[in-house]
Amino acid sequence: MIHVIQGWTDTTGVRDDMQGAPTNKPVTSEEIRRAWLDFFKGKGHLEMPSSSLVPHDDPTVLLTTAGMQQMIPFMLGREQPPRRRLVSIQKCFRTTDIDSVGNLRNLTFFEMLGNFSIGDYFKAEAIAWAWEFVLDWLKLPADRLWITVHPTDDEAVDLWLRTGVPRERIVPLEENWWGPPGLSGPCGPDSELYLDRGEALGCGRPDCKPGCDCERFLEFWNLVFMQYSQDEHGHRTPLAQKNIDTGAGLERLSAIMQECRSVYETDLFRPIVAGVERLTGLTYGASPEQDFGLRVLADHGRGMTFLVGDGVVPSNEGRGYVLRRIIRRAVRYGRLLGLDRPFLTHIVDLVIDRMGKVYPSLIADRERIRQTVATEEERFAATLQAGLALLERWTAEARDRGERSLSGELVFKLYDTYGFPEELTAEILRERGLTFDEDEYRRAMEEQRARSRAAGRFAVAGRALGAALDVPRTEFLGYEATSAEGRVLALQRDGVPVEAMGEGETGVVVLDRTPFYAEAGGQVGDTGVLVGPAGRFLVEDTQSDGAGHHLHLGRVVEGVLQLGETVRATVDARRREDIMRHHTVTHLLHQALQDVLGPHALQAGSLVSPDVARFDFAHPRP
Ligand code: SER
């Protein structure tokens, strides 16, 4: 986590004393990291540590996918940056194309080298410095470098021409537009640097150039000129301050500097791949199918280690589901490579041995990461064989019937009963030239959700809460008061609306405003009393109907209560205070668990009542 000192801007570090580039070019990934930081520090940039893979402040983003994410509040002018020039090496995780990871191109986890200007320098410097770094520091041959720009960005073209790039190697590309990572945020045109790796890797088409699908031109650095802010509807307005956000993949730069065809041959991956070779007894490079599997294990091994390291726990939702998917996909590829015993902790160890020096927290968290991964592996391994056997049978039957598609119900059953992520089943089917009925799958999933919602609702409905209410939402006063006046808007007895309720009768009272807290977020509802002009109602519980009404549940202990009356609603304040203390306790416990067990010890649920507090969280060990 980054701690930014508000209101403090350091400009004293702006120095230009690194005139001369080092004589030797960086080759190892460690040397590349160093060169990157040194170069930009020499241009007055302050180093920011990598933020977590779990975005800190943006609920619309699942995972950190770019170095600029932690800079967004600075770029939008909402927070003061510690300096206007920043440099970082950011852990990133991208979920697009997880199913094709194993090919030579895609990675889930990677590290992004970035330099940022927060309303300081703009295009001219960003371009000139990128050029200086690749020529003088990386010592790449200028005649093999290509540039792409957004078709509207003539200014960028001029600036590149000024550095000496010939016009024929500046290619306009429509997709050179970046951001924002979430629903809204900063964005702008971008410009990318490519290396021509030679015709031997190319498709041979005469018009092959950057943007082509083949392996010849490798994009390795993206310069984004952040000049707009985009809202949720895609509407853009110019930013008051213009920013620079650049990102270069460490893995790709390593492949370039180490002259490897793929990132898997670089020093970042080689020890991991070698470990997987030892584990499987296979040799990388011997067969395309096996290579694919070896790469899956190497990539997913890094992905799962870093995700768990940053506190993600396998689950059926959100980032937990991403983690679950890669663990389960890795287990399946392990089986295909002949590993039929648990093996993931070995891969986690390989990753930590390789990356721990740069990310020491991995070493400290080694046991927790191993445990989390091992538990999930075990869970899936138990059903994998049975699920695969069923899938075999179903696909054979479908084929016999001359069908090329499996029913969505079956794919749902594999998910629900055997724990096969939908995407994994889809991938296995694809390998056999089959598809499945996705609409039917979604319907089955939706029906199950509706069933569990109904089950959850029943617990409350079981108390005869009755028909939907056609009255305004209840105004909640309970943050300020424990006693207040309110008007009776609705009365229900046995779930049926009534005009009045007499002594001894039980039911529900709805007021226009109330200090009674309705059970939510694990905190129990308030109890107390409603006193009207002609009667008293003892409130035994307060529930919400999910539509904004607080339902006072209880019975008339004296006299009568009628529609339209004004009553004084008084919460049992002593009990409420006990509840509040327990509420505070869960917050303290939450922090303590995170301090002691780690950042993954997140609240999964809780019960807060006057006598007891329960706190749910996931941790892989007793
Ligand atoms: N945000 C841009 C990218 O991710 C450059 O850092 O490519």
Side-chain angles (χ1 to χ4, degrees):
M1 195 177 301
I2 305 300
H3 296 281
V4 174
I5 301 165
Q6 294 273 340
W8 175 72
T9 305
D10 172 10
T11 49
T12 55
V14 182
R15 62 195 173 103
D16 222 338
D17 57 359
M18 303 253 327
Q19 305 289 342
T23 15
N24 294 328
K25 63 180 181 185
V27 175
T28 66
S29 53
E30 264 63 45
E31 288 164 357
I32 298 171
R33 288 179 204 276
R34 200 60 277 142
W36 184 270
L37 295 174
D38 284 349
F39 177 78
F40 283 104
K41 284 181 184 174
K43 307 269 183 218
H45 292 61
L46 174 75
E47 183 182 348
M48 298 284 275
S50 173
S51 61
S52 165
L53 285 173
V54 177
H56 164 58
D57 221 6
D58 190 345
T60 67
V61 190
L62 202 59
L63 291 163
T64 298
T65 57
M68 54 81 70
Q69 256 156 275
Q70 62 162 318
M71 319 296 176
I72 291 176
F74 307 147
M75 291 185 169
L76 296 176
R78 290 190 190 138
E79 274 177 41
Q80 183 82 3
R83 198 184 290 175
R84 297 213 163 268
R85 299 179 181 188
L86 303 168
V87 59
S88 71
I89 302 177
Q90 173 67 49
K91 296 179 276 186
C92 296
F93 195 106
R94 291 195 178 170
T95 54
T96 16
D97 298 324
I98 289 185
D99 308 326
S100 44
V101 168
N103 63 18
L104 288 171
R105 277 185 186 208
N106 303 64
L107 292 175
T108 56
F109 172 83
F110 66 100
E111 290 170 274
M112 190 185 280
L113 308 165
N115 62 284
F116 308 89
S117 157
I118 314 297
D120 188 53
Y121 61 86
F122 198 49
K123 262 180 227 190
E125 294 86 343
I127 287 176
W129 290 345
W131 198 241
E132 184 186 339
F133 185 71
V134 294
L135 290 196
D136 297 351
W137 286 57
L138 299 184
K139 304 186 197 301
L140 295 178
D143 58 354
R144 282 172 55 197
L145 293 171
W146 287 64
I147 303 298
T148 62
V149 294
H150 192 258
T152 58
D153 200 349
D154 297 337
E155 190 191 355
V157 174
D158 281 345
L159 290 165
W160 281 116
L161 289 172
R162 253 189 260 169
T163 63
V165 179
R167 186 173 280 276
E168 60 275 16
R169 275 195 270 120
I170 304 176
V171 182
L173 262 191
E174 199 56 54
E175 65 244 37
N176 276 16
W177 186 277
W178 204 88
L183 288 178
S184 59
C187 62
D190 63 42
S191 177
E192 295 175 318
L193 287 84
Y194 283 73
L195 179 73
D196 179 357
R197 302 200 289 169
E199 279 171 26
L201 289 178
C203 56
R205 282 196 293 265
D207 60 345
C208 176
K209 58 174 185 268
C212 178
D213 252 1
C214 74
E215 274 189 64
R216 175 169 170 181
F217 294 96
L218 182 70
E219 186 259 308
F220 63 92
W221 195 352
N222 185 10
L223 318 179
V224 188
F225 314 122
M226 295 283 193
Q227 49 197 83
Y228 298 99
S229 172
Q230 181 171 311
D231 68 18
E232 307 79 71
H233 312 291
H235 184 73
R236 289 181 196 137
T237 41
L239 277 169
Q241 62 173 36
K242 294 195 171 118
N243 309 295
I244 289 294
D245 149 35
T246 92
L250 176 64
E251 294 75 8
R252 284 191 189 179
L253 270 189
S254 300
I256 290 173
M257 300 312 292
Q258 294 160 33
E259 297 182 26
C260 300
R261 175 164 175 189
S262 89
V263 298
Y264 291 97
E265 292 150 38
T266 64
D267 63 347
L268 284 165
F269 275 94
R270 204 42 224 161
I272 302 173
V273 174
V276 182
E277 286 177 317
R278 281 195 300 278
L279 196 66
T280 54
L282 301 171
T283 310
Y284 186 67
S287 116
E289 287 80 37
Q290 288 174 357
D291 287 356
F292 191 94
L294 293 170
R295 288 191 294 257
V296 169
L297 296 194
D299 171 90
H300 287 9
R302 290 190 352 143
M304 65 184 76
T305 303
F306 276 92
L307 282 179
V308 178
D310 277 348
V312 180
V313 180
S315 79
N316 279 339
E317 262 171 24
R319 36 186 97 91
Y321 184 60
V322 172
L323 174 60
R324 172 157 284 171
R325 263 176 77 187
I326 62 169
I327 292 180
R328 296 189 172 195
R329 189 166 181 261
V331 172
R332 177 184 172 244
Y333 273 95
R335 292 291 180 281
L336 291 177
L337 295 179
L339 298 173
D340 35 44
R341 284 160 189 280
F343 63 94
L344 284 182
T345 54
H346 293 288
I347 299 193
V348 166
D349 281 336
L350 292 170
V351 174
I352 297 179
D353 292 345
R354 176 63 191 88
M355 306 297 282
K357 212 166 147 193
V358 184
Y359 299 97
S361 68
L362 292 179
I363 299 175
D365 290 339
R366 189 189 289 263
E367 266 326 295
R368 178 176 63 80
I369 300 173
R370 293 174 101 248
Q371 284 283 345
T372 304
V373 166
T375 307
E376 178 66 12
E377 177 177 29
E378 229 170 81
R379 202 174 273 174
F380 186 49
T383 56
L384 177 66
Q385 278 328 104
L388 281 176
L390 264 185
L391 190 54
E392 276 321 323
R393 206 180 82 205
W394 292 337
T395 51
E397 285 169 4
R399 263 209 218 94
D400 289 347
R401 287 195 300 270
E403 293 166 7
R404 309 207 54 78
S405 174
L406 219 61
S407 96
E409 290 280 354
L410 292 182
V411 176
F412 177 72
K413 184 167 173 191
L414 270 186
Y415 166 80
D416 199 34
T417 316
Y418 298 89
F420 277 52
E422 167 204 349
E423 297 82 358
L424 181 62
T425 307
E427 187 180 344
I428 299 173
L429 290 176
R430 244 191 333 270
E431 290 162 8
R432 293 160 174 64
L434 298 172
T435 56
F436 71 95
D437 185 337
E438 291 187 29
D439 290 338
E440 197 181 64
Y441 172 83
R442 307 242 167 276
R443 271 200 303 278
M445 177 72 93
E446 204 27 63
E447 277 164 23
Q448 198 222 37
R449 289 204 177 123
R451 274 195 302 276
S452 47
R453 266 199 305 269
R457 194 77 198 107
F458 185 71
V460 180
R463 309 167 87 157
L465 296 188
L469 287 157
D470 190 18
V471 297
R473 302 160 68 91
T474 314
E475 184 189 344
F476 178 57
L477 309 171
Y479 291 122
E480 289 87 31
T482 48
S483 181
E485 291 202 326
R487 213 160 61 83
V488 179
L489 295 186
L491 292 171
Q492 289 184 358
R493 201 178 48 218
D494 298 330
V496 182
V498 289
E499 303 262 312
M501 267 164 52
E503 202 164 307
E505 287 183 333
T506 57
V508 177
V509 181
V510 180
L511 305 176
D512 60 347
R513 44 213 298 271
T514 182
F516 281 73
Y517 181 82
E519 178 173 325
Q523 177 165 327
V524 298
D526 279 330
T527 61
V529 65
L530 310 179
V531 181
R536 284 162 66 85
F537 181 89
L538 202 65
V539 181
E540 289 158 348
D541 189 11
T542 311
Q543 292 283 332
S544 163
D545 67 348
H549 302 110
H550 289 228
L551 311 172
H552 305 88
L553 291 90
R555 73 196 144 88
V556 181
V557 286
E558 200 184 301
V560 59
L561 213 65
Q562 301 190 68
L563 266 189
E565 280 176 355
T566 296
V567 298
R568 172 145 291 270
T570 305
V571 172
D572 178 342
R574 171 82 198 276
R575 180 174 174 278
R576 164 79 82 76
E577 273 165 26
D578 288 345
I579 293 171
M580 280 161 61
R581 270 194 287 274
H582 277 125
H583 180 112
T584 304
V585 158
T586 61
H587 283 286
L588 296 175
L589 187 60
H590 195 182
Q591 186 63 52
L593 286 167
Q594 294 215 336
D595 290 348
V596 175
L597 299 177
H600 63 286
L602 292 172
Q603 174 163 359
S606 69
L607 171 75
V608 177
S609 74
D611 316 311
V612 67
R614 194 197 71 223
F615 187 86
D616 309 335
F617 64 100
H619 182 65
R621 270 169 306 171

Short mmCIF file of all heavy atoms in Angstrom, two decimals, residues 383-418:
data_model
loop_
_atom_site.label_atom_id
_atom_site.label_comp_id
_atom_site.label_asym_id
_atom_site.label_seq_id
_atom_site.Cartn_x
_atom_site.Cartn_y
_atom_site.Cartn_z
N THR A 383 -12.54 -34.13 -7.32
CA THR A 383 -13.66 -34.29 -8.24
C THR A 383 -13.23 -34.28 -9.70
O THR A 383 -14.03 -34.56 -10.58
CB THR A 383 -14.70 -33.16 -8.05
OG1 THR A 383 -14.04 -31.92 -8.22
CG2 THR A 383 -15.34 -33.24 -6.68
N LEU A 384 -11.96 -33.95 -9.93
CA LEU A 384 -11.50 -33.79 -11.32
C LEU A 384 -11.70 -35.07 -12.13
O LEU A 384 -12.28 -35.03 -13.22
CB LEU A 384 -10.02 -33.38 -11.32
CG LEU A 384 -9.35 -33.25 -12.69
CD1 LEU A 384 -9.97 -32.10 -13.48
CD2 LEU A 384 -7.86 -33.01 -12.55
N GLN A 385 -11.25 -36.21 -11.60
CA GLN A 385 -11.33 -37.46 -12.36
C GLN A 385 -12.78 -37.80 -12.68
O GLN A 385 -13.12 -38.11 -13.82
CB GLN A 385 -10.70 -38.62 -11.57
CG GLN A 385 -9.18 -38.69 -11.68
CD GLN A 385 -8.62 -38.22 -13.01
OE1 GLN A 385 -8.06 -37.11 -13.11
NE2 GLN A 385 -8.76 -39.02 -14.07
N ALA A 386 -13.62 -37.73 -11.66
CA ALA A 386 -15.03 -38.07 -11.86
C ALA A 386 -15.67 -37.13 -12.88
O ALA A 386 -16.40 -37.56 -13.78
CB ALA A 386 -15.77 -37.98 -10.53
N GLY A 387 -15.36 -35.85 -12.77
CA GLY A 387 -15.93 -34.87 -13.70
C GLY A 387 -15.45 -35.11 -15.12
O GLY A 387 -16.23 -35.07 -16.07
N LEU A 388 -14.15 -35.39 -15.25
CA LEU A 388 -13.60 -35.63 -16.59
C LEU A 388 -14.24 -36.87 -17.22
O LEU A 388 -14.55 -36.88 -18.41
CB LEU A 388 -12.08 -35.81 -16.52
CG LEU A 388 -11.26 -34.52 -16.41
CD1 LEU A 388 -9.78 -34.85 -16.25
CD2 LEU A 388 -11.48 -33.62 -17.62
N ALA A 389 -14.43 -37.92 -16.39
CA ALA A 389 -15.03 -39.15 -16.90
C ALA A 389 -16.45 -38.86 -17.41
O ALA A 389 -16.84 -39.32 -18.49
CB ALA A 389 -15.05 -40.22 -15.82
N LEU A 390 -17.20 -38.09 -16.63
CA LEU A 390 -18.56 -37.74 -17.06
C LEU A 390 -18.53 -36.95 -18.36
O LEU A 390 -19.30 -37.21 -19.28
CB LEU A 390 -19.22 -36.85 -16.00
CG LEU A 390 -20.09 -37.55 -14.99
CD1 LEU A 390 -20.75 -36.51 -14.10
CD2 LEU A 390 -21.17 -38.36 -15.72
N LEU A 391 -17.61 -35.99 -18.41
CA LEU A 391 -17.51 -35.15 -19.60
C LEU A 391 -17.19 -36.01 -20.82
O LEU A 391 -17.74 -35.82 -21.90
CB LEU A 391 -16.44 -34.08 -19.37
CG LEU A 391 -16.35 -32.96 -20.39
CD1 LEU A 391 -17.68 -32.27 -20.59
CD2 LEU A 391 -15.31 -31.93 -19.95
N GLU A 392 -16.29 -36.98 -20.63
CA GLU A 392 -15.96 -37.91 -21.72
C GLU A 392 -17.24 -38.60 -22.21
O GLU A 392 -17.49 -38.70 -23.41
CB GLU A 392 -14.99 -39.01 -21.26
CG GLU A 392 -13.52 -38.67 -21.27
CD GLU A 392 -13.04 -37.84 -22.46
OE1 GLU A 392 -13.54 -38.05 -23.59
OE2 GLU A 392 -12.18 -36.97 -22.25
N ARG A 393 -18.01 -39.10 -21.23
CA ARG A 393 -19.21 -39.85 -21.60
C ARG A 393 -20.19 -38.95 -22.36
O ARG A 393 -20.69 -39.32 -23.42
CB ARG A 393 -19.87 -40.42 -20.33
CG ARG A 393 -20.68 -41.66 -20.62
CD ARG A 393 -21.31 -42.20 -19.38
NE ARG A 393 -22.55 -41.48 -19.09
CZ ARG A 393 -23.06 -41.38 -17.86
NH1 ARG A 393 -22.44 -41.90 -16.83
NH2 ARG A 393 -24.19 -40.74 -17.67
N TRP A 394 -20.41 -37.76 -21.81
CA TRP A 394 -21.37 -36.85 -22.44
C TRP A 394 -20.94 -36.45 -23.85
O TRP A 394 -21.75 -36.35 -24.75
CB TRP A 394 -21.56 -35.59 -21.59
CG TRP A 394 -22.23 -35.85 -20.29
CD1 TRP A 394 -23.05 -36.90 -19.98
CD2 TRP A 394 -22.14 -35.05 -19.12
NE1 TRP A 394 -23.47 -36.80 -18.69
CE2 TRP A 394 -22.93 -35.66 -18.12
CE3 TRP A 394 -21.47 -33.87 -18.79
CZ2 TRP A 394 -23.08 -35.16 -16.84
CZ3 TRP A 394 -21.61 -33.34 -17.53
CH2 TRP A 394 -22.40 -33.99 -16.56
N THR A 395 -19.64 -36.20 -24.00
CA THR A 395 -19.20 -35.77 -25.34
C THR A 395 -19.33 -36.94 -26.32
O THR A 395 -19.72 -36.74 -27.47
CB THR A 395 -17.75 -35.24 -25.34
OG1 THR A 395 -16.91 -36.20 -24.71
CG2 THR A 395 -17.63 -33.94 -24.62
N ALA A 396 -19.02 -38.16 -25.86
CA ALA A 396 -19.16 -39.33 -26.75
C ALA A 396 -20.62 -39.49 -27.15
O ALA A 396 -20.94 -39.71 -28.33
CB ALA A 396 -18.65 -40.58 -26.04
N GLU A 397 -21.51 -39.33 -26.16
CA GLU A 397 -22.94 -39.48 -26.47
C GLU A 397 -23.40 -38.41 -27.46
O GLU A 397 -24.16 -38.68 -28.38
CB GLU A 397 -23.77 -39.39 -25.18
CG GLU A 397 -23.67 -40.66 -24.34
CD GLU A 397 -24.25 -40.48 -22.93
OE1 GLU A 397 -24.81 -39.38 -22.63
OE2 GLU A 397 -24.15 -41.43 -22.15
N ALA A 398 -22.92 -37.18 -27.24
CA ALA A 398 -23.31 -36.10 -28.14
C ALA A 398 -22.84 -36.42 -29.56
O ALA A 398 -23.57 -36.25 -30.53
CB ALA A 398 -22.72 -34.76 -27.67
N ARG A 399 -21.61 -36.90 -29.64
CA ARG A 399 -21.07 -37.25 -30.96
C ARG A 399 -21.88 -38.33 -31.64
O ARG A 399 -22.17 -38.25 -32.83
CB ARG A 399 -19.62 -37.69 -30.82
CG ARG A 399 -18.70 -36.55 -31.12
CD ARG A 399 -17.38 -36.98 -31.68
NE ARG A 399 -16.38 -36.09 -31.10
CZ ARG A 399 -15.70 -36.38 -30.00
NH1 ARG A 399 -15.84 -37.55 -29.41
NH2 ARG A 399 -14.85 -35.52 -29.52
N ASP A 400 -22.26 -39.35 -30.83
CA ASP A 400 -23.07 -40.44 -31.40
C ASP A 400 -24.36 -39.91 -31.98
O ASP A 400 -24.89 -40.44 -32.96
CB ASP A 400 -23.40 -41.50 -30.33
CG ASP A 400 -22.15 -42.29 -29.96
OD1 ASP A 400 -21.15 -42.17 -30.71
OD2 ASP A 400 -22.17 -43.00 -28.93
N ARG A 401 -24.89 -38.88 -31.34
CA ARG A 401 -26.14 -38.32 -31.84
C ARG A 401 -25.90 -37.34 -32.98
O ARG A 401 -26.81 -36.71 -33.47
CB ARG A 401 -26.86 -37.57 -30.70
CG ARG A 401 -27.47 -38.51 -29.65
CD ARG A 401 -28.46 -37.75 -28.77
NE ARG A 401 -27.81 -36.64 -28.05
CZ ARG A 401 -27.24 -36.78 -26.83
NH1 ARG A 401 -27.26 -37.95 -26.22
NH2 ARG A 401 -26.68 -35.75 -26.25
N GLY A 402 -24.63 -37.18 -33.33
CA GLY A 402 -24.30 -36.25 -34.42
C GLY A 402 -24.37 -34.79 -33.99
O GLY A 402 -24.49 -33.90 -34.82
N GLU A 403 -24.30 -34.53 -32.68
CA GLU A 403 -24.37 -33.15 -32.20
C GLU A 403 -22.97 -32.59 -31.95
O GLU A 403 -22.08 -33.31 -31.55
CB GLU A 403 -25.19 -33.09 -30.90
CG GLU A 403 -26.66 -33.43 -31.11
CD GLU A 403 -27.38 -33.71 -29.80
OE1 GLU A 403 -26.77 -33.52 -28.72
OE2 GLU A 403 -28.54 -34.13 -29.86
N ARG A 404 -22.86 -31.26 -32.12
CA ARG A 404 -21.56 -30.63 -31.90
C ARG A 404 -21.60 -29.74 -30.66
O ARG A 404 -20.67 -29.00 -30.39
CB ARG A 404 -21.16 -29.79 -33.12
CG ARG A 404 -21.25 -30.53 -34.43
CD ARG A 404 -20.29 -29.96 -35.46
NE ARG A 404 -18.91 -29.90 -34.96
CZ ARG A 404 -18.08 -30.94 -34.88
NH1 ARG A 404 -18.49 -32.13 -35.22
NH2 ARG A 404 -16.85 -30.79 -34.43
N SER A 405 -22.71 -29.83 -29.95
CA SER A 405 -22.85 -28.93 -28.80
C SER A 405 -23.44 -29.70 -27.62
O SER A 405 -24.31 -30.55 -27.78
CB SER A 405 -23.78 -27.78 -29.21
OG SER A 405 -24.06 -26.99 -28.08
N LEU A 406 -22.92 -29.36 -26.43
CA LEU A 406 -23.39 -30.02 -25.21
C LEU A 406 -24.45 -29.14 -24.55
O LEU A 406 -24.42 -27.92 -24.70
CB LEU A 406 -22.19 -30.15 -24.27
CG LEU A 406 -22.09 -31.43 -23.46
CD1 LEU A 406 -21.96 -32.62 -24.39
CD2 LEU A 406 -20.86 -31.36 -22.56
N SER A 407 -25.34 -29.75 -23.81
CA SER A 407 -26.39 -28.93 -23.19
C SER A 407 -25.80 -28.08 -22.06
O SER A 407 -24.85 -28.48 -21.39
CB SER A 407 -27.52 -29.82 -22.66
OG SER A 407 -27.32 -30.08 -21.29
N GLY A 408 -26.39 -26.90 -21.87
CA GLY A 408 -25.93 -26.00 -20.83
C GLY A 408 -26.16 -26.57 -19.44
O GLY A 408 -25.40 -26.30 -18.50
N GLU A 409 -27.20 -27.39 -19.31
CA GLU A 409 -27.49 -28.04 -18.02
C GLU A 409 -26.32 -28.90 -17.58
O GLU A 409 -25.94 -28.90 -16.41
CB GLU A 409 -28.73 -28.95 -18.16
CG GLU A 409 -30.05 -28.24 -18.34
CD GLU A 409 -30.60 -27.73 -17.01
OE1 GLU A 409 -30.00 -28.05 -15.97
OE2 GLU A 409 -31.62 -27.00 -17.03
N LEU A 410 -25.76 -29.67 -18.52
CA LEU A 410 -24.65 -30.56 -18.17
C LEU A 410 -23.42 -29.77 -17.75
O LEU A 410 -22.74 -30.11 -16.79
CB LEU A 410 -24.31 -31.47 -19.36
CG LEU A 410 -25.39 -32.50 -19.74
CD1 LEU A 410 -24.91 -33.37 -20.90
CD2 LEU A 410 -25.73 -33.38 -18.54
N VAL A 411 -23.16 -28.69 -18.49
CA VAL A 411 -21.99 -27.86 -18.15
C VAL A 411 -22.20 -27.23 -16.77
O VAL A 411 -21.27 -27.12 -15.97
CB VAL A 411 -21.75 -26.79 -19.23
CG1 VAL A 411 -20.60 -25.87 -18.84
CG2 VAL A 411 -21.44 -27.47 -20.56
N PHE A 412 -23.46 -26.88 -16.48
CA PHE A 412 -23.75 -26.32 -15.17
C PHE A 412 -23.53 -27.38 -14.08
O PHE A 412 -22.99 -27.09 -13.02
CB PHE A 412 -25.18 -25.79 -15.12
CG PHE A 412 -25.54 -25.26 -13.76
CD1 PHE A 412 -24.99 -24.07 -13.32
CD2 PHE A 412 -26.37 -25.98 -12.91
CE1 PHE A 412 -25.27 -23.59 -12.05
CE2 PHE A 412 -26.66 -25.50 -11.64
CZ PHE A 412 -26.10 -24.31 -11.21
N LYS A 413 -23.95 -28.61 -14.37
CA LYS A 413 -23.77 -29.68 -13.39
C LYS A 413 -22.27 -29.89 -13.09
O LYS A 413 -21.86 -30.08 -11.95
CB LYS A 413 -24.40 -30.96 -13.93
CG LYS A 413 -24.35 -32.09 -12.95
CD LYS A 413 -25.24 -33.23 -13.37
CE LYS A 413 -24.99 -34.38 -12.41
NZ LYS A 413 -25.59 -35.62 -12.86
N LEU A 414 -21.47 -29.82 -14.14
CA LEU A 414 -20.02 -29.96 -13.94
C LEU A 414 -19.49 -28.85 -13.04
O LEU A 414 -18.59 -29.07 -12.23
CB LEU A 414 -19.29 -29.88 -15.28
CG LEU A 414 -19.06 -31.17 -16.04
CD1 LEU A 414 -18.20 -30.89 -17.26
CD2 LEU A 414 -18.36 -32.20 -15.15
N TYR A 415 -20.04 -27.67 -13.21
CA TYR A 415 -19.62 -26.53 -12.39
C TYR A 415 -20.10 -26.71 -10.95
O TYR A 415 -19.32 -26.64 -9.99
CB TYR A 415 -20.21 -25.24 -12.98
CG TYR A 415 -20.13 -24.06 -12.05
CD1 TYR A 415 -18.95 -23.34 -11.90
CD2 TYR A 415 -21.24 -23.67 -11.29
CE1 TYR A 415 -18.87 -22.27 -11.03
CE2 TYR A 415 -21.17 -22.60 -10.42
CZ TYR A 415 -19.99 -21.91 -10.30
OH TYR A 415 -19.92 -20.86 -9.43
N ASP A 416 -21.38 -27.02 -10.84
CA ASP A 416 -22.03 -27.01 -9.54
C ASP A 416 -21.59 -28.20 -8.67
O ASP A 416 -21.32 -28.05 -7.48
CB ASP A 416 -23.54 -27.07 -9.78
CG ASP A 416 -24.31 -26.61 -8.57
OD1 ASP A 416 -23.80 -25.72 -7.88
OD2 ASP A 416 -25.40 -27.15 -8.32
N THR A 417 -21.50 -29.37 -9.29
CA THR A 417 -21.21 -30.58 -8.52
C THR A 417 -19.73 -30.93 -8.52
O THR A 417 -19.20 -31.43 -7.54
CB THR A 417 -22.01 -31.77 -9.09
OG1 THR A 417 -23.34 -31.33 -9.35
CG2 THR A 417 -22.04 -32.93 -8.12
N TYR A 418 -19.06 -30.68 -9.63
CA TYR A 418 -17.67 -31.13 -9.75
C TYR A 418 -16.66 -29.99 -9.72
O TYR A 418 -15.46 -30.22 -9.84
CB TYR A 418 -17.49 -31.97 -11.01
CG TYR A 418 -18.35 -33.22 -10.97
CD1 TYR A 418 -19.65 -33.21 -11.45
CD2 TYR A 418 -17.87 -34.38 -10.37
CE1 TYR A 418 -20.45 -34.33 -11.37
CE2 TYR A 418 -18.66 -35.51 -10.29
CZ TYR A 418 -19.96 -35.48 -10.78
OH TYR A 418 -20.75 -36.59 -10.68
#
